[in-house]
Structure formats: C-alpha cells, structure tokens
Amino acid sequence: MRQVTRFPLILTFIIIPTALLHAQTWLPIGFRHFGFAFDVPPGFVLTQRSDEGAAFEGKNDAFLAVWGARLGKTSFRTEIEHRMVEDEKNGWQLTYRRVMPEWASYSGVKDGQIRYVRAIRVCRDRAALFTINYSRNEKIPYDPIVVRMVRSLKAEGC
C-alpha cells in the first residue's frame, strides 16, 4: 500500500516540470501595416524591429526573422522561388520545398545549421514570412516550435 501512494507523488514530480516547460509564454506580435500576426517562441530576444518586421536571437546562435513584403507586380510564387534561388546561391542546400498559391515553405542545411522559411499570402498584394536558423543538433527540440510558428503566422486586419 505504501508503494501505491508513492507512485502518484513520483508522477507529480515528473509531470509538473514537463508541464512548466510547455507553458512558457509565446509573444504575439502584429504588423498592422502588412496585415499579419505571428507568435515568437520563448527564449528569443528582440534585436531589431521596424514597421516591416523584426529580428530575434535565441540560444546557441539561433536566429529568427519575421517580416512583411509588398509583392507589387511580382506573383507570390515568383517571390518565393526567387528567395529559394538566393538562398541556394548563398550556400544553403535546400532539402524541402513546397509552393502553393496561398502559402509556401522550404528548408535547407548549411554549415551545421538548418534554415526553415515559411511564407503566406496576405491582403492579396502582400506576403508575410519568417525565417528561422538553428543548429542541426537541435532539430528534434525545434520541430514542435517550428510547427507552432507555422500555425501562428496568420493574416490579420486585411
């Protein structure tokens, strides 16, 4: 009987710290001028902000940028394909790419880093994008963070 009462106590010590890790606060930010909102993950510190976007630094040289772009006469697809070509010219080996009419994602590797880029079309003539770079060694912990960032990038106020 004594071991039965210890089990819930031990389970409590395991569950509470895990729950606290997942309860860290994400920072919602919006860029009204471009018509989108985004959630910044915990642990990223703002290093630069303008009307067009913001840059953040995280642990172990992680870097996050989020910004809006006017497409003008350029199509959403053309804009994203241009960014992929530029990243490849800069040494990123792209390992995944998906371009749809309303959203796009691609990722690649370079010098022990992973880059993930997500873009959505907003307000017909604009795009909202984020880029995150982090160590390949941290891929598994970053996978759910990237998924949450993808879900948080939304058109707002068009």
Side-chain angles (χ1 to χ4, degrees), residues 30-36 51-52 68 70 123 126 156:
F31 297 91
R32 192 173 298 202
H33 180 68
F34 282 96
F36 73 95
D51 289 342
E52 289 83 26
R70 291 204 178 276
C123 306
R126 291 173 241 161
E156 186 176 274

Side-chain angles (χ1 to χ4, degrees), residues 73-84 99:
K73 294 184 185 213
T74 303
S75 73
F76 179 74
R77 175 176 286 280
T78 301
E79 176 69 22
I80 301 309
E81 288 173 349
H82 172 76
R83 289 181 184 279
M84 288 190 285
V99 181

Side-chain angles (χ1 to χ4, degrees), residues 59-134:
K59 295 178 186 174
N60 302 323
D61 296 322
F63 174 77
L64 170 64
V66 58
W67 72 98
R70 291 204 178 276
L71 297 172
K73 294 184 185 213
T74 303
S75 73
F76 179 74
R77 175 176 286 280
T78 301
E79 176 69 22
I80 301 309
E81 288 173 349
H82 172 76
R83 289 181 184 279
M84 288 190 285
V85 167
E86 290 300 310
D87 277 349
E88 287 178 315
K89 284 181 185 176
N90 289 320
W92 289 95
Q93 179 185 0
L94 299 188
T95 56
Y96 171 78
R97 33 178 125 210
R98 185 92 189 257
V99 181
M100 305 301 288
E102 300 297 318
W103 63 270
S105 291
Y106 68 92
S107 62
V109 293
K110 173 184 166 183
D111 300 330
Q113 292 278 304
I114 293 175
R115 169 172 284 179
Y116 182 86
V117 178
R118 176 68 170 198
I120 60 171
R121 190 172 179 177
V122 293
C123 306
R124 287 177 287 165
D125 64 341
R126 291 173 241 161
L129 305 95
F130 78 78
T131 297
I132 184 165
N133 297 349
Y134 54 92

Side-chain angles (χ1 to χ4, degrees), residues 8-46:
L9 185 60
I10 291 170
L11 191 58
T12 300
F13 285 115
I14 293 169
I15 291 173
I16 289 175
T18 304
L20 290 175
L21 286 175
H22 295 292
Q24 293 177 335
T25 304
W26 287 61
L27 175 66
I29 61 172
F31 297 91
R32 192 173 298 202
H33 180 68
F34 282 96
F36 73 95
F38 179 74
D39 292 342
V40 177
F44 279 82
V45 177
L46 179 68

